Amino acid sequence: MARLLSGIQPSGDLHLGNYLGAIRGWVAGQRGNDAYYCVVDLHALSGDYDPHQLARRTFDTALNLLAAGLDPDECTLFVQSHVGEHSRLAWLLECVANLGELRRMTQFKDKAGESESARVGLFTYPVLQAADILLYDAELVPVGDDQRQHLELTRDLAQRFNHRYGPTFVVPEASVPEVAARVMDLQAPTRKMSKSVSSPLGTIGMLDSPAEIDRKVRKAVTDTGGEVRYDPDAKPGVSNLLELLAAATGASPASLAGSFTSYGQLKAQTSEALVELLRPVRERYVELAADPAQVTAVLVAGAERASQVAGATFERASMAAGLLAPGSEPPRAQETAG
Ligand code: AMP
Ligand code: TRP
C-alpha cells in the first residue's frame, strides 16, 4: 500500500489531457492505496481568475473528479484551502527554496516571461505544490508529463529540508502514464492540450457529448502524406490520434498504426473509442449534479481526514525547523560543540 497525492486546479473545464494524463491514474491508484486528491484552489489564485466564479469552479471540479471515478470510500478528496497547513508549510519551504531553482521552472518562464509585473504567487507556485505533496508523506504523485520538473523540485526541497533539520519528509516520485502523458491539441498538435488555450476544436472536454467528440476528432489536423505511422516528431497529428486510441484501448500506439490504411479510418476508430471511454463519466456527472449536497458532504469529510494527516506533518516540520510549539516551553538549548 502506497501513499498517493495529486492535485488539479479549478481553472477551467477538465479535458481529455487531464483525464488521460492524470485523473485516470488517480482512479486506478485509489484501489489498495492510501490516496489523497485535492482541488488546488490556492494555486488558481496565481493566475487570472474571476473571484465570482472560483467557488463554483472549485465545486464543479470536485464533481467532475467524482464523475471520473473517484470513490470517496476509497480515497480522500478535498479542497486545498480547507486545510490551512498547505499555506503554512509553503512558508517553511519557501525559506528552504532558492531563487535560482525557482527561476529555472519552465512553467513560470512560459507564463511570466520577463515581465516585472508577474505575480510572486506564480513564482512560488511550485513551492506550494511541494507543500501539498510533502504534507501527506506521499510516495507517488500521479501527474502528466508537464509536472516532472515540479516533482524534481519537490524532491530537492524535501531532501534539503531533511538534510538541514533532520529526517522529516518522505521524498516522493512522479508517476506518469506510459501512453498519453502529454495529449496534444487536436488543431495544433505541437502544442499541449490545455484548459487555457482558446481552441475549442482542439480540446476535447471530459464532458463533451458524443457528437462533439466525433466532430473534433474528424476535424483534427493531420500531417502531410497519407501514411498512418507512429512518429511524434515527423507526424505529430497522426501520432497524437494513435496515442489517444492506444490510451482508450490499452494497445500500443506503434502497434496500432499498422492496422490503418487511411487517416479517415484512424479518425473513425479513435472517435468511437473516445466516445465509449468518456460515456460513463458524462453519465455519472449528470447523476451527481442532481445531488450537490452529496458532493459537499464528500468535501467536508475529505477536509477532516486530510487535516489530520496534514496537521501531524506540519507539526513535525515546524518542530524540526525550530519553531516554539504552542502551549509548551522550549526544549533545552543544545550546546554547540567547541
Ligand atoms: P492542470 O490542468 O494544469 O491543472 O493539470 C492537471 C493534471 O493534468 C496534471 O497532472 C497535468 O500534468 C495533467 N495534464 C494537463 N494537461 C495535460 C495534457 N495535455 N496531457 C496530459 N496530461 C495533462
Ligand atoms: N501544478 C499542478 C498542475 O498544474 C497542480 C498541482 C498543485 C499538483 N499541487 C499539486 C499536482 C500536487 C500534483 C501534486 O497540474
Side-chain angles (χ1 to χ4, degrees), residues 8-9 15 17-18 21-22 143-144 146-147 180-183 192-193 195:
I8 189 161
Q9 293 196 58
H15 53 74
N18 296 133
V143 282
D146 61 354
Q147 295 302 308
R182 178 178 281 267
V183 173
K192 198 177 62 173
M193 187 179 282
K195 293 178 194 142

Side-chain angles (χ1 to χ4, degrees), residues 283-321:
E283 287 173 358
R284 271 194 302 263
Y285 181 86
V286 174
E287 278 170 32
L288 281 161
D291 188 6
Q294 198 187 330
V295 179
T296 307
V298 167
L299 294 178
V300 169
E304 234 164 71
R305 279 206 299 271
S307 292
Q308 284 181 5
V309 179
T313 315
F314 180 74
E315 192 179 314
R316 189 166 18 103
S318 56
M319 293 306 98

Side-chain angles (χ1 to χ4, degrees), residues 5-9 40 43 80 107 125 128-129 132-133 141-143 146-147 150-151:
L5 176 125
S6 198
I8 189 161
Q9 293 196 58
V40 294
H43 277 105
Q80 183 192 34
Q107 194 163 306
Y125 175 114
L128 179 60
Q129 178 167 353
D132 299 340
I133 297 166
V141 183
V143 282
D146 61 354
Q147 295 302 308
H150 286 163
L151 259 294

Side-chain angles (χ1 to χ4, degrees), residues 13 48 93 117 128 140 145 156 158 161 179 194 221 255 260 266 331:
D13 295 334
D48 289 322
L93 295 174
S117 56
L128 179 60
L140 289 175
D145 181 69
D156 289 345
F161 193 103
V179 195
S194 100
V221 167
S255 73
F260 298 104
L266 169 63

